[in-house]
Amino acid sequence: MIRKGSMILCALLAVAWFSGCATMGASKEKPYRMTPQGMVVWEDEFEFKPPPPDWKVLRVESGENDINFGFMRSDPGPFPSVTTFAYDEDPFGCTAASLEGREREFFKRFLFNAVLQFQILDRKKVQVLGGEGLQVDVEGKDPVKGEKVRARVIFGKRGGRIVGFYITQWRPMGGSYDLSALEIFDRFWGSFRFLKKSFYQTLVEGP
Amino acid sequence: MEGHQRNLYLYDHFNARVVGVSRDDVTTLKYWGNGLGITFPLLSNITSFLGAYFDASPAGMPIFSRRTVVIDRTGIIRYVRDGSPDFKDILLFLKKLNKEGGKQ
């Protein structure tokens, strides 16, 4: 007890975090605007080429390991035919030093609510956000539920931190993928740029 | 926990340290922490007295509720929030607290 107490108090400041169950906050309205050039400006921080109008905006309030924002589309066919893509300021994992290290950590938890057997289809270096990035294509299968998912994950850097983009396309096991959605996703992350410093950069460096 | 791990360099910058507290046993926490790549201390408190002390033990339940607590260097609790950690809020608070500390 004394040792534990001193561990907390000997630091200048201490943050204690107790474990428990996740909660989700309320969402805001209309965090984006369109430019005359047809680009979306999201919260005056990000600019990107939007997907076609049949894609709906998807937003999860920021919290531990939640995505920032994205888009989703219901696809023809039986459940679970849906495609979703997103930008994630803090993708799963902790490593900031290497994209490959973060990839290994990320796939320990990616789609962890589903019990999937993943197979890597492709892995290659790409240019993203003005620097070197990593693209990983995977397919996951759940033989028990009879479902499968095709996913592409892009890792890039913003300042000293790794950020991510990903798309998931769910299908029943016998269904076929619509790979044109990957092209829409590629245009999304390919056009993505930052309009200002990140929260984390500003925190240390100032505006 | 991964979020705290990602922010360790910022906690250092603001002279803060982080510890996690759980009711899981040491062996479980060791494997869990290693699996996630956690390098800061995880405290095993199976008897739950720390949860009772910080009012993070729901009655009749063998778990801690999620609660973030910031303690300043004099031992005073300065920040308490329930639910998933709001990392940006925590960092802004630590920045403010560090600034206050620098003036003392």
Side-chain angles (χ1 to χ4, degrees):
Chain A
M1 172 61 187
I2 293 170
R3 187 176 167 202
K4 287 175 183 173
S6 65
M7 281 178 71
I8 294 173
L9 297 177
C10 71
L12 176 59
L13 305 169
V15 182
W17 186 87
F18 292 80
S19 60
C21 300
T23 58
M24 199 177 289
S27 60
K28 296 175 185 172
E29 289 181 17
K30 291 264 183 178
Y32 59 89
R33 60 185 166 85
M34 295 292 295
T35 69
Q37 293 76 31
M39 302 291 276
V40 168
V41 173
W42 188 280
E43 291 184 334
D44 295 326
E45 186 169 356
F46 314 109
E47 185 181 76
F48 54 87
K49 190 169 188 173
D54 57 329
W55 291 77
K56 294 176 183 171
V57 173
L58 171 72
R59 189 179 196 202
V60 178
E61 195 63 22
S62 60
E64 190 174 30
N65 300 321
D66 284 336
I67 62 169
N68 274 32
F69 63 89
F71 297 88
M72 68 175 295
R73 184 186 74 182
S74 293
D75 297 329
F79 182 86
S81 298
V82 64
T83 306
T84 307
F85 67 82
Y87 166 70
D88 190 346
E89 189 87 351
D90 281 312
F92 291 134
C94 323
T95 298
S98 77
L99 298 172
E100 290 77 9
R102 190 61 166 265
E103 176 209 346
R104 281 191 294 276
E105 295 172 350
F106 179 86
F107 280 103
K108 286 181 185 175
R109 298 190 63 197
F110 184 52
L111 301 176
F112 66 95
N113 285 336
V115 183
L116 297 167
Q117 297 165 0
F118 276 116
Q119 180 190 359
I120 293 176
L121 304 177
D122 190 23
R123 181 195 284 115
K124 63 181 182 184
K125 303 271 189 189
V126 291
Q127 283 293 309
V128 58
L129 304 171
E132 189 175 86
L134 180 66
Q135 174 181 314
V136 185
D137 286 10
V138 297
E139 184 182 34
K141 292 184 177 176
D142 181 343
V144 177
K145 286 187 176 176
E147 297 171 358
K148 63 181 181 179
V149 61
R150 175 80 187 258
R152 173 171 293 170
V153 183
I154 309 291
F155 298 96
K157 286 204 170 184
R158 184 184 195 189
R161 295 171 76 102
I162 292 175
V163 297
F165 302 87
Y166 38 80
I167 183 169
T168 58
Q169 187 169 87
W170 286 91
R171 289 289 186 268
M173 195 64 86
S176 57
Y177 296 114
D178 173 12
L179 298 183
S180 66
L182 294 179
E183 295 169 16
I184 293 169
F185 171 65
D186 288 346
R187 285 199 289 274
F188 170 70
W189 66 262
S191 65
F192 205 92
R193 69 188 187 98
F194 302 116
L195 302 179
K196 59 183 182 183
K197 287 181 179 177
S198 74
F199 167 83
Y200 303 104
Q201 290 169 298
T202 305
L203 195 68
V204 176
E205 300 166 7
Chain B
M1 286 295 180
E2 283 185 334
H4 287 303
Q5 184 69 33
R6 281 194 290 269
N7 292 337
L8 279 188
Y9 72 104
L10 293 169
Y11 295 164
D12 278 347
H13 188 79
F14 297 131
N15 294 306
R17 302 292 177 268
V18 60
V19 295
V21 187
S22 167
R23 289 197 65 176
D24 288 327
D25 61 84
V26 171
T27 305
T28 302
L29 285 179
K30 195 173 173 182
Y31 278 94
W32 186 78
N34 286 343
L36 288 178
I38 303 296
T39 59
F40 59 84
L42 299 174
L43 308 184
S44 167
N45 184 217
I46 55 175
T47 58
S48 186
F49 63 84
L50 279 173
Y53 183 77
F54 288 103
D55 196 22
S57 291
M61 298 178 72
I63 57 168
F64 287 145
S65 49
R66 279 193 171 185
R67 173 162 286 186
T68 303
V69 179
V70 177
I71 307 165
D72 73 13
R73 63 178 176 180
T74 65
I76 296 173
I77 293 174
R78 299 288 299 272
Y79 175 106
V80 179
R81 297 287 186 279
D82 289 331
S84 294
D86 183 336
F87 295 110
K88 291 182 178 177
D89 190 52
I90 292 167
L91 287 165
L92 287 172
F93 187 80
L94 293 178
K95 183 178 183 178
K96 181 179 153 216
L97 207 52
N98 187 50
K99 206 171 176 181
E100 282 177 20
K103 288 177 183 170
Q104 287 175 3

